Amino acid sequence: MTVVAPKQKLAWITGASQGIGSAVALRLAAEGWTVAVSARQADKLSELSRASEALTGSIVPFELDVTDAEACTQAFEAIEEQQGAIDLVILNAGTHEPIDGKRFSVAPVRKLVEINLMGTVNCLAPVIERFVERQAGRIGVVASLAGYRGLPTSSGYGASKAGLINMCEALRPELMEQNVVLSCITPGFVRTPLTDRNPFPMPFLIDVDTAATRIVKGLESNRFEITFPRRFAYIMKFMRILPYWAYFAITRRTVPHDQ
Ligand SMILES: NC(=O)c1ccc[n+]([C@@H]2O[C@H](COP(=O)([O-])OP(=O)(O)OC[C@H]3O[C@@H](n4cnc5c(N)ncnc54)[C@H](OP(=O)(O)O)[C@@H]3O)[C@@H](O)[C@H]2O)c1
């Protein structure tokens, strides 16, 4: 009798050269997944791949700049060709830059929208096409609690993340009809190279491994919203229902004094 080994589950994570993406990749590989990791810094992806040698699963690097739509389609196709059908996609690539509102200009907003919003769209398009054909698949889009409402200095970042949340809300029921489950991941502050450069105290800051655990556990369920840390998420949800007069009375106080 020939015994066929069950197929190892395959995930694709973008923005996995450091921070949240890399921690989630290691967590999934520790659980036996094969994980295709993408980012621009190829050396860091190779390091991650070497780190996975001690784990049950494995990490395979695919260099990718998510602002290049054609390259995103090619990367997705290359992963499937080499590794098989992808079960789970985590679209996490992103960046943050504070914008001084009184010096508001096109370039920083364009950069944030190109990477955070359009970079996700560039990957989502080929993934949705294939998952709908297959009538199967799990997708997690990493947005942010900063996308729940407009916050001072966050006019570009917040807009890109609010756009992602809205897009996920729109897509979720349509994809559900196709047996494709899409979730929106909205973290609060997580200690990563991105937040290490923040000069201000970050409320409810959590470490990257805790964030990775919350994401992996959240994606095991079918729920739409994967948000953490819980107390910060409750505060941001409460802010969402405040009328504008009350909301601006609070956020005006958070405008940095040097602005
Ligand atoms: N840390 C937080 O507190 C926090 C909170 C809420 C949401 N988030 C979101 O979580 C995600 C990960 O954040 P993080 O804190 O882990 O940031 P990070 O440490 O700066 O990591 C960001 C990752 O995105 C990749 N990336 C950036 N631009 C890219 C591009 N054009 N093409 C491909 N990959 C690109 C980077 O890789 P390369 O530079 O190698 O390309 C890196 O691997 C982001 O979407 C962020 O907005 C973070």
Side-chain angles (χ1 to χ4, degrees):
M1 189 177 70
T2 335
V3 179
V4 181
K7 176 189 170 286
Q8 264 193 339
K9 290 265 191 192
L10 177 62
W12 177 30
I13 308 179
T14 65
S17 61
Q18 60 184 37
I20 295 172
S22 131
V24 172
L26 286 169
R27 175 61 49 98
L28 287 176
E31 290 183 9
W33 287 68
T34 301
V35 189
V37 287
S38 294
R40 293 163 303 179
Q41 300 176 82
D43 50 337
K44 286 198 177 175
L45 295 179
S46 304
E47 234 174 79
L48 195 60
S49 178
R50 280 195 295 279
S52 74
E53 279 163 19
L55 304 172
T56 340
S58 60
I59 293 181
V60 192
F62 290 84
E63 195 179 335
L64 173 67
D65 182 337
V66 293
T67 61
D68 182 340
E70 212 173 301
C72 291
T73 302
Q74 283 166 1
F76 172 69
E77 283 171 356
I79 295 165
E80 290 226 321
E81 208 173 301
Q82 277 183 36
Q83 305 291 330
I86 297 175
D87 302 283
L88 166 68
V89 171
I90 303 176
L91 299 176
N92 161 80
T95 193
H96 176 266
E97 248 172 58
I99 293 177
D100 177 345
K102 70 180 180 302
R103 297 192 182 86
F104 189 80
S105 63
V106 173
V109 180
R110 189 189 295 282
K111 180 181 168 194
L112 289 165
V113 170
E114 279 299 328
I115 296 174
N116 297 352
L117 180 59
M118 289 313 298
T120 303
V121 171
N122 292 339
C123 298
L124 210 41
V127 169
I128 288 179
E129 188 186 345
R130 190 69 58 85
F131 281 9
V132 167
E133 264 169 32
R134 210 174 270 154
Q135 293 284 292
R138 187 80 181 86
I139 304 169
V141 169
V142 180
S144 167
L145 282 179
Y148 279 15
R149 267 201 111 160
L151 293 164
T153 76
S154 199
S155 51
Y157 182 75
S160 70
K161 295 298 188 177
L164 282 178
I165 295 170
N166 191 299
M167 195 169 62
C168 289
E169 287 172 353
L171 284 170
R172 163 95 173 185
E174 293 183 273
L175 294 182
M176 271 301 191
E177 294 289 307
Q178 306 298 322
N179 206 31
V180 175
V181 183
L182 181 141
S183 297
C184 189
I185 302 162
T186 47
F189 289 112
V190 181
R191 189 182 296 286
T192 66
L194 189 73
T195 49
D196 282 346
R197 46 186 208 234
N198 285 345
F200 52 85
M202 290 173 274
F204 307 105
L205 180 69
I206 58 168
D207 64 74
V208 76
D209 290 328
T210 305
T213 303
R214 297 300 300 267
I215 291 171
V216 171
K217 280 209 171 320
L219 289 169
E220 282 166 6
S221 76
N222 274 356
R223 70 174 187 266
F224 175 70
E225 188 187 48
I226 299 169
T227 188
F228 52 86
R230 203 165 290 145
R231 273 190 300 163
F232 197 24
Y234 285 147
I235 291 170
M236 289 307 292
K237 279 170 186 282
F238 174 68
M239 297 284 243
R240 265 208 301 207
I241 57 167
L242 283 182
Y244 278 121
W245 64 267
Y247 183 67
F248 292 133
I250 295 169
T251 58
R252 239 190 119 170
R253 289 192 214 164
T254 69
V255 174
H257 289 306
D258 59 336
Q259 282 200 31

